[in-house]
Amino acid sequence: MKTSCLINNFNYADYVCDAIQSVLDQTQLVDQIVVVDDGSTDRSCARIEAEFGSLDRVLLIRKSNAGQLSCFNRGMREISGDVVFFLDADDRYRPDYVMRAMSVFERHPTVDFLTVADQQTGPTASPPSSLPTRDLGLSTLATLLDRKWIGGVTSSLSMRTALAKRILPCALESEWRTRADDVLVFGSSILGAHKYYLGEPLIEYRLHGRNYFAGQHFTAVQQMHYSLAVNQLIAWYARFMGFDTNRLPPLLHREFRTIERPSFREWADYFGLVWRQRTPFSMRIRQSFALTGHAIDQRRIPAPRKPHVSVAAAQSRQPTVGVSVS
């Protein structure tokens, strides 16, 4: 399988070349690197051209400033690999990231969305934190009915290009100038992505004081605007898929059975969803038994050992998997 990497950049001249070099330094060749510059006013493009202009597999696209989602939309038009990796211009990949990620896609043919653990770097980096590797299954109903966020930050995400080209382009560019990884996370869930989590810290999430999300304080007005944008986004993809949400609740127990070793929190979330639906009482009883039976059966399966983490690592959104957005 061929691989592509899509890097979005805006005024990160101090970091973007380091990000590109981390892709070039992979132990498994990345066949194509597409860098979309979102109208930077610093020396980003000049530095990229000076360092990588002679490399055929590095494509620089300049565009007017319109935000992160617009970069995803524009970049996907050029992606030619079978799997696409996303990377923010201020982050880095560890050398074995692509190799480890591709091994997941090769071993699990039905998995089309992967997120990995990240390592925070910088003076304010958090202590090590990691969740076990496991199959996250499907999350369409959990997202449509309860706005679950099943994924990771932009640089931790990769997916089969066939899925990415169903998610993108997304028309809601003005609402997602930043935090557009939510478009990838929510959109993929609603489109029925089979998700997998690799609990190895394979990317470096850089904390530097100019992050657009990490370390930022959001006012009540900003949080409300964000919640409205999430609601609009979920409705947009639901219309795209033609879902009738009134007919989906009877399938909740089936979706839950796709999750490997579900946590107590995940069981409780699905249990609550079952009992909030207007389905017959007998159906809710049957679904509750099915949820509980799967959770018990899966807890008997031993979890893989957590990987050794040698440097400070933590997820910028805790936990990485299964965040509820309110």
Side-chain angles (χ1 to χ4, degrees), residues 30 92 225 245 302:
V30 176
R92 286 176 47 87
H225 282 160
T245 55

Side-chain angles (χ1 to χ4, degrees), residues 37 63 83 92 126 138-139 173 195 234 279 302 314 318-319:
D37 184 80
K63 58 181 283 301
V83 175
R92 286 176 47 87
S126 300
L138 275 63
S139 49
E173 290 184 356
K195 298 190 175 186
I234 291 175
T279 53
Q318 294 289 344

Side-chain angles (χ1 to χ4, degrees), residues 77-245:
R77 287 158 50 185
E78 311 298 331
I79 295 299
S80 60
D82 301 293
V83 175
V84 57
F85 292 79
F86 292 85
L87 178 60
D88 281 336
D90 55 339
D91 295 335
R92 286 176 47 87
Y93 290 162
R94 293 190 63 182
D96 56 345
Y97 168 45
V98 171
M99 179 188 70
R100 298 290 295 120
M102 290 304 294
S103 70
V104 173
F105 287 114
E106 290 164 359
R107 291 197 316 270
H108 304 279
T110 65
V111 167
D112 48 11
F113 180 104
L114 176 68
T115 182
V116 303
D118 65 74
Q119 295 181 341
Q120 289 187 355
T121 63
T124 60
S126 300
S129 176
S130 179
L131 297 172
T133 294
R134 66 186 176 117
D135 190 330
L136 301 176
L138 275 63
S139 49
T140 303
L141 275 64
T143 299
L144 285 172
L145 302 177
D146 207 23
R147 300 171 70 174
K148 293 299 182 213
W149 188 90
I150 315 294
V153 296
T154 299
S155 300
S156 71
L157 302 179
S158 59
M159 63 186 77
R160 296 188 193 270
T161 301
L163 171 64
K165 290 194 173 183
R166 292 177 66 211
I167 300 170
L168 303 170
C170 174
L172 307 176
E173 290 184 356
S174 61
E175 287 77 19
W176 297 98
R177 294 182 62 88
T178 61
R179 300 176 70 169
D181 49 354
D182 285 356
V183 175
L184 303 178
V185 170
F186 285 125
S188 59
S189 286
I190 296 170
L191 267 61
H194 182 175
K195 298 190 175 186
Y196 197 94
Y197 176 72
L198 183 58
E200 301 178 24
L202 295 168
I203 67 161
E204 297 176 5
Y205 184 86
R206 196 192 309 255
L207 301 179
H208 50 75
R210 292 177 52 214
N211 301 90
Y212 294 112
F213 179 82
Q216 301 299 317
H217 172 72
F218 297 99
T219 66
V221 170
Q222 290 173 314
Q223 292 176 18
M224 183 60 186
H225 282 160
Y226 172 73
S227 294
L228 292 173
V230 169
N231 186 70
Q232 180 189 37
L233 179 69
I234 291 175
W236 193 85
Y237 279 109
R239 287 194 300 271
F240 175 79
M241 292 297 291
F243 284 133
D244 179 354
T245 55

